[in-house]
Each structure stands twice: as structure tokens, then as C-alpha cells.
Amino acid sequence: MSVDFTKTAEPDHTGEPRQAVAQHVPWTKRLASGRVYLGALIVLVWGLGPFYWMVVTALRDPAYTFDNTPWPTHVTFDNFRDAFDTSRGNDFGRALGNSVIIGAATTVVALLIGIMAAYALARLTFRGQYVVSGLILSASMFPVVVLVTPLFQLFTDIGWIGHYQAMIIPNISFVLPMTVYILASFFTELPWELEEAARIDGASRFQAFRLIMLPLAAPAVFTTAILAFIAAVNEYLLARLLSSDSTEPVTVAVARFSGNNPLVQPYTAIMAAGTIVTVPLVIMVLLFQRRIISGLTAGGVKS
């Protein structure tokens, strides 16, 4: 016995079966969809093109540095070894460690201060609340170049030039407004009834914040930590003026790379160093992109 699974058309009001009608997508919708994909492709190429070319150049033999072939040719890994070579005065390994120290210290301090400030702005009501929020946001718009001279003079007077704190403290002031802005938006949308229920059960305000509200803010805190760390590692101008040979981060170290010939710039070694710095950050963002997106969009829509 065979069973026919062919689906027949339903009859209309006259009893005759309707003819199956294929859905027709208007050409305007298809064109709009094509524009979206084309725009995404342009943004992808625009953003990843320089990074791709950096990796390609890092894998090329120095004799073929200016080869325009869009894929790796004359592949060699000697450039990555040259990036860590200290015989010509380059100490890229130490610079990597300095960047981790500066970025980690900046991130930890900015989060400790930013979490409490953002929670206070979101939870407490006081006179001048919006003025304080505006001042914090306006601090992030200050151009770094304006602060170079006063900071250099100040740190020279107190003997901080060439020490880690000369770069960590300015970096904190740069990433702290972003930290407060992201976290305050998230804390505002958290259900405060949970905190009130904890207070009724006998918890103090700090205990309710630490045990109830802070775990709920984990996505936003995680996002802010990544963005603050990347911002601190990428800072160059102040680090170039306030660091010494023993405390310079990778941004300064790569800019001062020297090769065997003082008249020839070691482009392939510089590209290899840039690849070593960039690839871990790219991998970290790709691995945690869901948390980053959820943290950035949290608090953006009122429930």
C-alpha cells in the first residue's frame, strides 16, 4: 500500500481547488537587500583590508617588501623572529609586558571607580545629577594633545617621567568617562525591585549591590573591561613623551623599530610586530563578541 504525501491545494468558496501561486518578491526589496549586503561587504573590506595587508607583508621576505601581489609570496617567518631580536636596540618582548601592565592596571582602576560612580548616578537622586553626568561625558571629548604639555610639566616636577604611573593615571582619566557612560545606562534599566527585596531580607545597600545588582551587570562590566583595555593599549601620544626605554609600551616600541641598515626602514619586522599585537585582540573580540554586543546594547531599550 502506497501513501501519497503530495499536498493538494485547498478548495475556494466555489469548491474548486485553488492553484498554487508562487510568492513573488518585488525587485525593490531584492535591490534593497542587495544594497545591504554590498554595504556590509564594503565595510568589511574597509575595516579588515589594512589588517590583511599587514599580515601579508609580515609573511614576506624583506627583499619583496613592496611586492603588490594581494596574497603572501616568498613566505618567511623570520620577520617575527626579527621583531623580538634585541641586538639592534629593540626590546619588543619587554614592550609587550609593559602594555599588559599598563592596560590591566588602567582597566582595573577604571572599573573599580566607574562601577561605583555609574551605580550612584543610576540609583541615587541628588541635586546637580545631570550636571555631573554631563561633565563626565564632556571629559571624554577633551583632545589628548591639549593635555600633553601640562602633564609633561607636572610629571617632570614630581619625578614621574619614565614610570608606569605617568601613563596609567592619564589613561584612567581617558577611559573612565566611557566606563561610567556604559555602566550607568545598564544600571538604569536593572529591576530595582531585586535590590529592595534584598534590603527587606536584611541585606545592607552595599551587600545588595555586591550580591544582587553587580552579577546582573556582568555583561556590561565585561564589555567595558575589554574596551578600556584596548583603549589603554592603543594610546601612543602620551606614552611616547612620558615613557622611558624600560617602560615604553608596544605602540612606542614599534614606532622606534630599527633595522640592520640605518637608512632602510624594517617594514616587514614592523608589520610582524603589529600582527603579534593585533591578532590576540582580534581573537579576543571574536571569541567574546556576543558578550560585547549584549553589553553595548543593554539598557538601550526600555522595557
Coordinates of all heavy atoms in Angstrom, one line a residue, residues 29-90:
K29 N 12.5 45.2 -3.2 CA 13.0 44.5 -1.9 C 14.3 43.8 -2.2 O 15.2 43.8 -1.4 CB 12.0 43.6 -1.4 CG 10.8 44.3 -0.8 CD 9.9 43.3 -0.1 CE 8.7 44.0 0.6 NZ 7.8 43.0 1.3
R30 N 14.4 43.1 -3.4 CA 15.7 42.4 -3.7 C 16.8 43.4 -3.8 O 17.9 43.2 -3.4 CB 15.5 41.6 -4.9 CG 14.7 40.3 -4.7 CD 14.6 39.5 -5.9 NE 13.8 40.1 -7.0 CZ 13.5 39.6 -8.1 NH1 14.0 38.4 -8.5 NH2 12.7 40.2 -9.0
L31 N 16.5 44.6 -4.4 CA 17.6 45.6 -4.6 C 18.0 46.1 -3.3 O 19.2 46.4 -3.0 CB 17.0 46.7 -5.5 CG 18.0 47.9 -5.8 CD1 19.2 47.3 -6.5 CD2 17.3 48.9 -6.6
A32 N 17.0 46.4 -2.4 CA 17.4 46.9 -1.0 C 18.2 45.8 -0.3 O 19.2 46.2 0.4 CB 16.1 47.2 -0.2
S33 N 17.8 44.6 -0.4 CA 18.6 43.5 0.3 C 20.0 43.5 -0.3 O 21.0 43.3 0.4 CB 17.9 42.2 0.1 OG 18.7 41.1 0.7
G34 N 20.2 43.6 -1.6 CA 21.5 43.6 -2.3 C 22.3 44.8 -1.8 O 23.5 44.7 -1.6
R35 N 21.7 46.0 -1.6 CA 22.4 47.1 -1.1 C 23.0 46.9 0.3 O 24.1 47.3 0.6 CB 21.5 48.4 -1.2 CG 21.3 48.9 -2.5 CD 20.9 50.4 -2.5 NE 19.6 50.5 -1.7 CZ 18.4 50.6 -2.2 NH1 18.2 50.4 -3.5 NH2 17.4 50.7 -1.4
V36 N 22.2 46.2 1.1 CA 22.6 45.9 2.5 C 23.8 45.0 2.5 O 24.8 45.3 3.2 CB 21.5 45.3 3.3 CG1 22.0 44.8 4.6 CG2 20.3 46.2 3.5
Y37 N 23.8 44.0 1.6 CA 24.9 43.0 1.6 C 26.2 43.7 1.0 O 27.3 43.5 1.4 CB 24.6 41.8 0.8 CG 23.7 40.8 1.5 CD1 22.4 40.7 1.1 CD2 24.1 40.1 2.6 CE1 21.5 39.8 1.8 CE2 23.3 39.3 3.3 CZ 22.0 39.1 2.9 OH 21.2 38.2 3.6
L38 N 25.9 44.6 0.0 CA 27.0 45.3 -0.6 C 27.7 46.3 0.4 O 28.9 46.4 0.5 CB 26.6 46.1 -1.9 CG 27.6 46.9 -2.6 CD1 28.7 46.0 -3.1 CD2 27.0 47.7 -3.7
G39 N 26.8 47.0 1.1 CA 27.3 47.9 2.2 C 28.1 47.1 3.2 O 29.2 47.6 3.7
A40 N 27.6 46.0 3.7 CA 28.3 45.2 4.7 C 29.7 44.7 4.1 O 30.7 44.7 4.8 CB 27.5 44.0 5.1
L41 N 29.7 44.3 2.8 CA 31.0 43.9 2.2 C 32.0 45.0 2.1 O 33.2 44.9 2.4 CB 30.7 43.3 0.8 CG 31.9 42.9 0.0 CD1 32.6 41.7 0.8 CD2 31.5 42.4 -1.4
I42 N 31.5 46.2 1.8 CA 32.4 47.4 1.7 C 33.0 47.7 3.1 O 34.2 48.0 3.2 CB 31.7 48.6 1.2 CG1 31.3 48.4 -0.3 CG2 32.5 49.9 1.3 CD1 30.5 49.4 -0.9
V43 N 32.1 47.7 4.1 CA 32.6 47.9 5.5 C 33.6 46.9 5.9 O 34.7 47.2 6.6 CB 31.4 48.0 6.5 CG1 31.9 48.1 7.9 CG2 30.6 49.2 6.1
L44 N 33.4 45.6 5.6 CA 34.3 44.5 5.9 C 35.6 44.7 5.3 O 36.7 44.6 5.9 CB 33.6 43.2 5.5 CG 34.4 41.9 5.9 CD1 34.5 41.8 7.4 CD2 33.8 40.7 5.3
V45 N 35.6 45.0 4.0 CA 36.9 45.2 3.3 C 37.6 46.4 3.8 O 38.8 46.4 4.0 CB 36.6 45.3 1.8 CG1 37.9 45.7 1.0 CG2 36.1 44.0 1.2
W46 N 36.9 47.5 4.0 CA 37.5 48.7 4.5 C 38.1 48.5 5.9 O 39.2 49.1 6.2 CB 36.4 49.8 4.6 CG 36.9 51.2 5.1 CD1 37.0 51.6 6.3 CD2 37.4 52.2 4.2 NE1 37.5 52.9 6.3 CE2 37.8 53.3 5.1 CE3 37.6 52.3 2.8 CZ2 38.3 54.4 4.6 CZ3 38.1 53.5 2.3 CH2 38.5 54.5 3.2
G47 N 37.4 47.7 6.8 CA 38.0 47.5 8.1 C 39.1 46.5 8.2 O 40.1 46.7 8.9
L48 N 38.9 45.4 7.4 CA 39.9 44.3 7.5 C 41.0 44.4 6.5 O 42.0 43.7 6.5 CB 39.2 43.0 7.4 CG 38.2 42.6 8.5 CD1 37.6 41.2 8.3 CD2 38.9 42.7 9.9
G49 N 40.8 45.3 5.4 CA 41.8 45.4 4.4 C 43.2 45.7 4.9 O 44.2 45.0 4.6
P50 N 43.4 46.8 5.7 CA 44.7 47.1 6.2 C 45.3 46.0 7.1 O 46.5 45.8 7.0 CB 44.4 48.4 7.0 CG 43.2 49.0 6.4 CD 42.4 47.8 6.0
F51 N 44.4 45.4 7.9 CA 44.9 44.3 8.7 C 45.4 43.1 7.9 O 46.5 42.5 8.2 CB 43.8 43.8 9.7 CG 44.2 42.6 10.5 CD1 45.1 42.7 11.5 CD2 43.6 41.4 10.2 CE1 45.4 41.6 12.3 CE2 43.9 40.3 10.9 CZ 44.8 40.4 12.0
Y52 N 44.7 42.8 6.8 CA 45.1 41.7 5.9 C 46.4 42.0 5.3 O 47.3 41.2 5.2 CB 44.0 41.5 4.9 CG 44.4 40.5 3.8 CD1 44.4 39.1 4.0 CD2 44.8 41.0 2.6 CE1 44.8 38.2 3.1 CE2 45.2 40.1 1.6 CZ 45.2 38.7 1.8 OH 45.6 37.9 0.8
W53 N 46.5 43.3 4.8 CA 47.8 43.7 4.1 C 49.0 43.6 5.1 O 50.1 43.3 4.7 CB 47.6 45.0 3.5 CG 48.7 45.3 2.5 CD1 49.8 46.2 2.7 CD2 48.9 44.7 1.2 NE1 50.6 46.2 1.5 CE2 50.1 45.2 0.7 CE3 48.2 43.7 0.5 CZ2 50.6 44.9 -0.6 CZ3 48.7 43.4 -0.7 CH2 49.8 43.9 -1.3
M54 N 48.7 44.0 6.4 CA 49.8 43.9 7.4 C 50.3 42.5 7.6 O 51.5 42.2 7.6 CB 49.3 44.5 8.7 CG 50.2 44.4 9.8 SD 49.6 45.1 11.4 CE 48.3 43.9 11.8
V55 N 49.3 41.5 7.6 CA 49.7 40.1 7.8 C 50.4 39.6 6.6 O 51.5 38.9 6.7 CB 48.4 39.3 8.1 CG1 48.8 37.8 8.1 CG2 47.8 39.7 9.4
V56 N 50.0 40.0 5.4 CA 50.6 39.6 4.1 C 52.1 40.1 4.1 O 53.0 39.4 3.8 CB 49.8 40.1 2.9 CG1 50.7 39.9 1.6 CG2 48.5 39.3 2.8
T57 N 52.3 41.4 4.4 CA 53.6 42.0 4.4 C 54.5 41.3 5.5 O 55.7 41.1 5.3 CB 53.5 43.5 4.7 OG1 52.6 44.0 3.7 CG2 54.9 44.1 4.5
A58 N 53.9 41.0 6.7 CA 54.7 40.4 7.7 C 55.2 39.0 7.3 O 56.2 38.5 7.8 CB 53.8 40.2 9.0
L59 N 54.5 38.3 6.4 CA 55.0 37.0 5.9 C 55.9 37.0 4.7 O 56.3 36.0 4.3 CB 53.7 36.2 5.6 CG 52.8 35.8 6.8 CD1 51.5 35.1 6.3 CD2 53.5 35.0 7.8
R60 N 56.2 38.2 4.2 CA 57.0 38.3 3.0 C 58.5 38.4 3.4 O 58.9 39.0 4.4 CB 56.6 39.5 2.2 CG 55.4 39.3 1.3 CD 55.4 40.3 0.2 NE 54.2 40.0 -0.7 CZ 53.2 40.7 -0.8 NH1 53.1 41.9 -0.2 NH2 52.2 40.4 -1.6
D61 N 59.3 37.9 2.5 CA 60.8 38.2 2.6 C 61.1 39.7 2.5 O 60.4 40.4 1.7 CB 61.5 37.4 1.5 CG 63.0 37.4 1.7 OD1 63.6 38.4 1.3 OD2 63.5 36.4 2.2
P62 N 62.0 40.2 3.3 CA 62.2 41.7 3.2 C 62.6 42.2 1.9 O 62.4 43.3 1.5 CB 63.4 41.8 4.2 CG 63.2 40.7 5.2 CD 62.7 39.6 4.4
A63 N 63.2 41.3 1.0 CA 63.6 41.7 -0.3 C 62.4 42.0 -1.2 O 62.5 42.7 -2.2 CB 64.5 40.7 -1.0
Y64 N 61.2 41.5 -0.8 CA 60.0 41.6 -1.6 C 58.9 42.4 -0.8 O 57.7 42.2 -0.9 CB 59.4 40.3 -2.0 CG 60.4 39.4 -2.8 CD1 61.3 38.6 -2.2 CD2 60.4 39.5 -4.2 CE1 62.1 37.8 -3.0 CE2 61.2 38.8 -5.0 CZ 62.1 37.9 -4.3 OH 63.0 37.2 -5.1
T65 N 59.4 43.4 0.0 CA 58.5 44.2 0.8 C 57.5 44.9 0.0 O 56.3 45.0 0.4 CB 59.3 45.2 1.7 OG1 60.3 44.5 2.5 CG2 58.4 46.0 2.5
F66 N 57.9 45.5 -1.1 CA 57.0 46.3 -1.9 C 56.3 45.5 -3.0 O 55.8 46.2 -4.0 CB 57.7 47.5 -2.4 CG 58.3 48.4 -1.3 CD1 59.7 48.3 -1.0 CD2 57.5 49.2 -0.6 CE1 60.2 49.1 0.0 CE2 58.0 50.0 0.4 CZ 59.4 49.9 0.7
D67 N 56.3 44.2 -2.9 CA 55.5 43.4 -3.9 C 54.0 43.7 -3.7 O 53.5 43.6 -2.6 CB 55.8 41.9 -3.7 CG 55.3 41.1 -4.8 OD1 54.6 41.6 -5.7 OD2 55.5 39.8 -4.7
N68 N 53.3 44.0 -4.8 CA 51.9 44.3 -4.8 C 51.0 43.1 -4.9 O 49.8 43.3 -5.1 CB 51.6 45.3 -5.8 CG 52.2 46.7 -5.5 OD1 52.4 47.1 -4.4 ND2 52.6 47.4 -6.6
T69 N 51.5 41.9 -4.9 CA 50.7 40.7 -5.0 C 49.7 40.6 -3.8 O 50.2 40.7 -2.7 CB 51.5 39.4 -5.1 OG1 52.5 39.6 -6.1 CG2 50.7 38.2 -5.4
P70 N 48.4 40.5 -4.1 CA 47.5 40.6 -3.0 C 47.4 39.3 -2.1 O 46.5 39.2 -1.3 CB 46.1 40.8 -3.7 CG 46.3 40.2 -5.0 CD 47.7 40.4 -5.4
W71 N 48.3 38.4 -2.2 CA 48.4 37.2 -1.3 C 49.9 37.0 -1.0 O 50.8 37.5 -1.6 CB 47.8 36.0 -2.0 CG 48.3 35.7 -3.4 CD1 49.5 35.1 -3.7 CD2 47.7 36.1 -4.6 NE1 49.6 35.1 -5.1 CE2 48.5 35.6 -5.6 CE3 46.5 36.7 -4.9 CZ2 48.2 35.8 -7.0 CZ3 46.2 36.9 -6.3 CH2 47.1 36.5 -7.3
P72 N 50.1 36.2 0.1 CA 51.5 36.1 0.5 C 52.4 35.4 -0.5 O 52.0 34.4 -1.1 CB 51.4 35.2 1.8 CG 50.0 35.4 2.2 CD 49.2 35.6 1.0
T73 N 53.5 36.0 -0.8 CA 54.5 35.5 -1.7 C 55.9 35.5 -1.0 O 56.1 36.3 -0.1 CB 54.6 36.3 -3.0 OG1 54.9 37.7 -2.7 CG2 53.3 36.2 -3.8
H74 N 56.7 34.6 -1.4 CA 58.1 34.5 -0.8 C 57.9 34.4 0.8 O 58.5 35.3 1.5 CB 59.0 35.6 -1.2 CG 59.1 35.7 -2.7 ND1 58.2 36.5 -3.4 CD2 59.9 35.2 -3.6 CE1 58.5 36.5 -4.7 NE2 59.6 35.7 -4.8
V75 N 57.1 33.5 1.2 CA 56.7 33.4 2.6 C 57.9 33.1 3.5 O 58.7 32.2 3.2 CB 55.6 32.4 2.8 CG1 55.2 32.3 4.3 CG2 54.4 32.8 2.1
T76 N 58.1 33.8 4.6 CA 59.1 33.5 5.6 C 58.6 34.0 7.0 O 57.8 34.9 7.1 CB 60.4 34.3 5.3 OG1 61.4 34.0 6.3 CG2 60.2 35.8 5.2
F77 N 59.0 33.3 8.0 CA 58.6 33.6 9.4 C 59.8 34.3 10.1 O 59.7 34.5 11.3 CB 58.2 32.4 10.1 CG 56.9 31.8 9.6 CD1 56.9 30.8 8.7 CD2 55.7 32.3 10.1 CE1 55.7 30.3 8.2 CE2 54.5 31.8 9.6 CZ 54.5 30.8 8.7
D78 N 60.9 34.7 9.4 CA 62.0 35.3 10.0 C 61.6 36.7 10.5 O 62.3 37.2 11.5 CB 63.2 35.4 9.0 CG 63.8 34.1 8.7 OD1 63.5 33.1 9.5 OD2 64.4 34.0 7.6
N79 N 60.6 37.3 9.9 CA 60.2 38.7 10.4 C 59.7 38.7 11.8 O 60.0 39.6 12.6 CB 59.2 39.3 9.5 CG 59.7 39.4 8.0 OD1 60.8 39.8 7.8 ND2 58.8 39.1 7.1
F80 N 59.0 37.6 12.2 CA 58.6 37.5 13.6 C 59.7 37.3 14.6 O 59.7 37.8 15.7 CB 57.5 36.4 13.7 CG 56.3 36.6 12.9 CD1 56.2 36.2 11.6 CD2 55.2 37.3 13.5 CE1 55.0 36.4 10.9 CE2 54.1 37.5 12.7 CZ 54.0 37.1 11.4
R81 N 60.7 36.6 14.1 CA 61.9 36.4 15.0 C 62.7 37.7 15.1 O 63.1 38.1 16.1 CB 62.8 35.3 14.4 CG 64.1 35.0 15.2 CD 65.0 34.1 14.5 NE 65.4 34.6 13.2 CZ 66.0 33.9 12.2 NH1 66.2 32.6 12.4 NH2 66.3 34.5 11.1
D82 N 62.7 38.5 13.9 CA 63.4 39.8 14.0 C 62.7 40.8 14.9 O 63.3 41.7 15.5 CB 63.5 40.4 12.6 CG 64.4 39.5 11.7 OD1 65.3 38.8 12.2 OD2 64.3 39.6 10.4
A83 N 61.4 40.6 15.0 CA 60.6 41.6 15.9 C 61.1 41.4 17.3 O 61.0 42.4 18.0 CB 59.1 41.3 15.7
F84 N 61.5 40.2 17.7 CA 61.9 40.0 19.1 C 63.4 40.1 19.3 O 64.0 39.9 20.4 CB 61.4 38.7 19.6 CG 59.9 38.6 19.9 CD1 59.1 38.1 18.9 CD2 59.4 39.1 21.1 CE1 57.7 38.1 19.1 CE2 58.0 39.0 21.3 CZ 57.2 38.5 20.3
D85 N 64.1 40.4 18.2 CA 65.6 40.5 18.2 C 66.0 41.8 19.0 O 65.6 42.9 18.6 CB 66.2 40.5 16.8 CG 67.7 40.4 16.8 OD1 68.3 40.2 17.9 OD2 68.3 40.5 15.7
T86 N 66.8 41.6 20.0 CA 67.3 42.8 20.8 C 68.7 43.3 20.4 O 69.2 44.2 21.1 CB 67.2 42.4 22.3 OG1 68.1 41.3 22.5 CG2 65.8 42.0 22.7
S87 N 69.2 42.7 19.4 CA 70.6 43.1 19.1 C 70.7 44.5 18.5 O 71.8 45.1 18.5 CB 71.2 42.0 18.1 OG 70.5 42.0 16.9
R88 N 69.6 45.0 18.0 CA 69.6 46.3 17.4 C 68.9 47.4 18.2 O 68.5 48.4 17.8 CB 69.0 46.3 16.0 CG 69.7 45.4 15.0 CD 69.1 45.5 13.6 NE 67.8 44.9 13.5 CZ 67.5 43.7 13.3 NH1 68.6 42.8 13.1 NH2 66.3 43.2 13.3
G89 N 68.8 47.1 19.5 CA 68.2 48.0 20.4 C 66.7 47.9 20.6 O 66.1 48.6 21.4
N90 N 66.1 47.0 19.9 CA 64.6 46.8 20.0 C 64.4 45.8 21.1 O 65.0 44.7 21.2 CB 64.0 46.3 18.7 CG 64.4 47.1 17.5 OD1 64.4 48.4 17.6 ND2 64.7 46.5 16.4

